[in-house]
Amino acid sequence: MTAAVGIPPAVTEETEAFWSAAEQGRLVVERCEACGTESFPPRGMCPSCRGRSMAAAEITDRGRIYSFTINYQRWLPDLEVPFALVLVEFPEHPGVRVFGRIRGCAPEEVAIGDEVEVGFEPGPGGFAIPSFVAVEGAA
Amino acid sequence: MGTERFEQRAVISGVGQSAIGRQVDRSGFQLTLDAIVAAIDDAGLSIDDIDGLAMFPGGGKANLPGYASGNLYEVQDALRITTTWRQGQVEGMSLPFYGPAQAVATGEARHVVIWRTVKEGSAARHAGGRPAYGSIHPEAEGPLAWLLPVGALSPACQIAPFATRYMHEYGVTREQLAWIPVTQRAHAALNPAAVYREPLSVEDYLASRMISSPICLYDCDVPADGATAIVVSTVEAAADLRAPVRIEAMAGVIDGRPSWEQWEDMGRVGYATAAAMWGRTDLRPGDVDVAQLYDGFTIEAVWWLEAMGFCGTGEAGAFVEGGERISLGGELPLNTWGGQLSGGRLHAGFGHTAEAVRQLRGEAGERQVRGAEVAAVTNVGGYEAGAALLTRW
Ligand SMILES: [Zn+2]
């Protein structure tokens, strides 16, 4: 699989866990060790109790598409178009929404409410980027 | 209103603009000086009266080629003045005149000039097309780290999901929303300084190429070259001013997650800002004679039509359909200079503010809204958000 064209992320103390896990195809967010609230992107502070003990927590269940766009414009040389970008939420993980690409269906088939599996694909700078997988036959 | 409103101790005294176009072959610095000199002259002041300077964005902040231009200290050096207050803004600039109004209301300065200079038209031409957001940096930092790696490489892709969600929730169609750019193009035809003035039809809109669905070419503002400067003065100096305009009320509230991809309810944007602004005035939406609502993309004008209460939530499609209500003779003439969609991406509410001032003074030429006494001005939306009412002196 050729790497998707984009601009690579600057990795920080807060985001290192996310990008490392992405390399292994795993989606991790932050979970508060005091109250269990999950959030994303990682800030090192619980949005609920403002606690500072946040641990990485993996999400493995299906998400649902909150919204999306199909991009047709070649913003960078070699950017392959069209492709869909999806905002995915997780019914079991309120407070987590992840922006990514989507595979397993034509861009024009993407719809709000569709179920997707967590996934990643090769992206810019050797990073793995979120790339959700459309669930066959899901409404 | 029981409480004193600081913004009423400030007035907008002058607006000025450089040449504006897809490409203006002069440096951003010279365009800046052109706009500043014009604005000070428009206020009836001289350069030596200016004791405050502000620019957007400050600090050389730039994520796009041509986005930022100049340096506040070089401008002060060119003007050879003394300043008691300065500000370079990105965060917190809910409206161009917000910080300057604070400065003159507290007595830190008497006459502040703020400017915004863009060379994005030239930059897009040099790049062979509108460049990727953040493409001047090798790595995506801060909030961009969640956008640029996955391919959300432009504000168009970052804001498009708001439009998708809005249209899904409320059943609003592209055929309806087309009337915003189409009507604004008709207004631009009456504005000699607008970038695009040829007629645009709903058919043209629907036939145009898609950029990032549902945002098509004509939903995007026009990258331009040009500078806009605004002078904000203390109300105590009103007698020295040629034609001041009052700031009746203004507010800038961020109540949701300030992030393009994390904003919780993508069908509703700007409501907290609009509510705070209406809480500072006895005027009501029905009192507004002309609206200059931020339109970096069509959907942003939709947010403000609804958040400001000009129509109900989800009703903007029906409100703008056919164009009558938002035309010059209608109940709410919208972006009478053409907006950023046709007038040019002067950005950050600067073009909108300049037009509101001209309308309230009766200086808007062929596009004048007769008897305009109250103008609404808004800026951006979820990330930064500002709303104000300006009124005739
Ligand atoms: Zn907590």
Side-chain angles (χ1 to χ4, degrees):
Chain A
M1 193 175 208
T2 53
V5 170
I7 295 172
V11 179
T12 66
E13 177 183 327
E14 291 78 19
T15 65
E16 200 278 331
F18 173 85
W19 293 111
S20 300
E23 197 71 48
Q24 304 158 1
R26 297 164 52 236
L27 173 61
V28 301
V29 301
E30 274 190 329
R31 180 182 291 137
C32 175
E33 293 187 321
C35 78
T37 298
E38 292 176 330
S39 63
F40 185 80
R43 303 280 183 227
M45 179 178 280
C46 171
S48 180
C49 75
R50 278 65 180 255
R52 303 296 305 281
S53 294
M54 304 296 283
E58 184 172 358
I59 291 181
T60 55
D61 30 344
R62 286 182 179 177
R64 274 186 191 280
I65 294 174
Y66 172 77
S67 194
F68 69 95
T69 182
I70 306 165
N71 178 69
Y72 294 87
Q73 181 81 7
R74 203 179 301 271
W75 304 104
L76 290 171
D78 305 325
L79 181 69
E80 278 184 42
V81 292
F83 61 91
L85 289 162
V86 292
L87 287 169
V88 174
E89 294 186 338
F90 298 86
E92 305 305 313
H93 304 273
V96 175
R97 182 193 282 170
V98 179
F99 208 6
R101 295 193 176 216
I102 182 167
R103 291 171 286 156
C105 68
E108 294 77 15
E109 291 169 4
V110 173
I112 286 174
D114 280 1
E115 286 194 337
V116 295
E117 300 277 5
V118 167
F120 291 82
E121 68 174 86
F127 288 87
I129 57 169
S131 175
F132 297 94
V133 184
V135 175
E136 195 75 35
Chain B
M1 303 303 298
T3 52
E4 192 191 7
R5 287 161 282 165
F6 78 87
E7 60 267 44
Q8 298 197 341
R9 297 207 294 274
V11 297
I12 299 180
S13 52
V15 296
Q17 290 173 311
S18 70
I20 293 166
R22 282 288 269 172
Q23 192 166 6
V24 181
D25 286 324
R26 299 193 60 213
S27 72
F29 194 79
Q30 295 309 308
L31 297 182
T32 300
L33 294 180
D34 286 350
I36 288 173
V37 168
I40 294 170
D41 186 56
D42 182 66
L45 297 169
S46 69
I47 289 174
D48 285 324
D49 292 321
I50 302 302
D51 56 3
L53 293 177
M55 66 185 289
F56 177 90
K61 278 279 176 202
N63 288 308
L64 284 163
Y67 182 85
S69 199
N71 173 291
L72 185 144
Y73 303 109
E74 290 181 319
V75 169
Q76 173 159 344
D77 191 52
L79 298 175
R80 217 45 78 90
I81 57 174
T82 298
T83 57
T84 55
W85 183 88
R86 295 158 302 283
Q87 194 171 67
Q89 298 179 317
V90 179
E91 294 89 348
M93 204 217 64
S94 51
L95 291 159
F97 45 87
Y98 203 105
Q102 290 174 312
V104 300
T106 56
E108 290 178 68
R110 278 177 69 80
H111 302 287
V112 175
V113 182
I114 180 164
W115 66 89
R116 173 83 180 97
T117 302
V118 288
K119 289 283 285 182
E120 290 185 285
S122 288
R125 185 157 306 202
H126 295 149
R130 204 163 177 172
Y133 197 77
S135 59
I136 63 172
H137 303 298
E139 289 184 333
E141 296 183 353
L144 297 177
W146 309 108
L147 299 168
L148 307 184
V150 299
L153 291 159
S154 161
C157 335
Q158 295 158 14
I159 291 176
F162 285 75
T164 303
R165 185 74 199 186
Y166 170 81
M167 293 165 74
H168 169 82
E169 284 191 23
Y170 302 112
V172 175
T173 66
R174 293 186 63 228
E175 285 76 4
Q176 293 177 307
L177 297 184
W179 286 97
I180 291 175
V182 165
T183 307
Q184 291 186 194
R185 180 62 66 86
H187 296 163
L190 303 175
N191 174 12
V195 174
Y196 285 138
R197 305 182 65 199
E198 312 75 30
L200 179 74
S201 69
V202 171
E203 292 67 35
D204 295 333
Y205 172 93
L206 294 172
S208 72
R209 66 194 168 88
M210 200 57 85
I211 303 296
S212 196
S213 71
I215 291 177
C216 71
L217 181 66
Y218 294 119
D219 288 318
C220 301
D221 59 7
V222 185
D225 291 358
T228 303
I230 297 165
V231 186
V232 178
S233 300
T234 171
V235 72
E236 293 163 15
D240 305 332
L241 302 170
R242 183 182 72 81
V245 161
R246 293 184 195 277
I247 305 173
E248 165 69 14
M250 65 181 184
V253 178
I254 303 177
D255 66 332
R257 297 185 68 183
S259 151
W260 288 128
E261 85 281 8
Q262 298 296 339
W263 183 261
E264 291 92 335
D265 183 351
M266 290 193 167
R268 299 170 85 254
V269 178
Y271 282 74
T273 292
M277 196 281 293
W278 289 119
R280 297 174 73 82
T281 176
D282 293 325
L283 295 174
R284 309 297 357 140
D287 296 318
V288 173
D289 299 309
V290 60
Q292 312 298 340
L293 307 183
Y294 190 74
D295 63 333
F297 298 97
T298 301
I299 190 67
E300 297 184 281
V302 170
W303 297 342
W304 287 116
L305 282 170
E306 298 187 356
M308 291 286 278
F310 297 126
C311 62
T313 301
E315 293 175 1
F319 186 81
V320 304
E321 193 164 11
E324 289 89 3
R325 286 191 186 87
I326 57 171
S327 293
L328 284 182
E331 62 187 75
L332 189 76
L334 174 66
N335 291 335
T336 45
W337 57 294
Q340 292 190 177
L341 297 178
S342 286
R345 181 178 149 81
L346 304 180
H347 200 227
F350 281 75
H352 298 83
T353 301
E355 177 71 2
V357 168
R358 288 169 179 151
Q359 287 286 349
L360 293 172
R361 288 168 167 175
E363 296 176 353
E366 277 192 84
R367 62 186 191 281
Q368 180 65 47
V369 174
R370 209 174 307 162
E373 294 189 0
V374 180
V377 179
T378 66
N379 186 33
V380 201
Y383 224 121
E384 236 344 308
L389 293 186
L390 306 182
T391 58
R392 194 151 76 182
W393 182 253

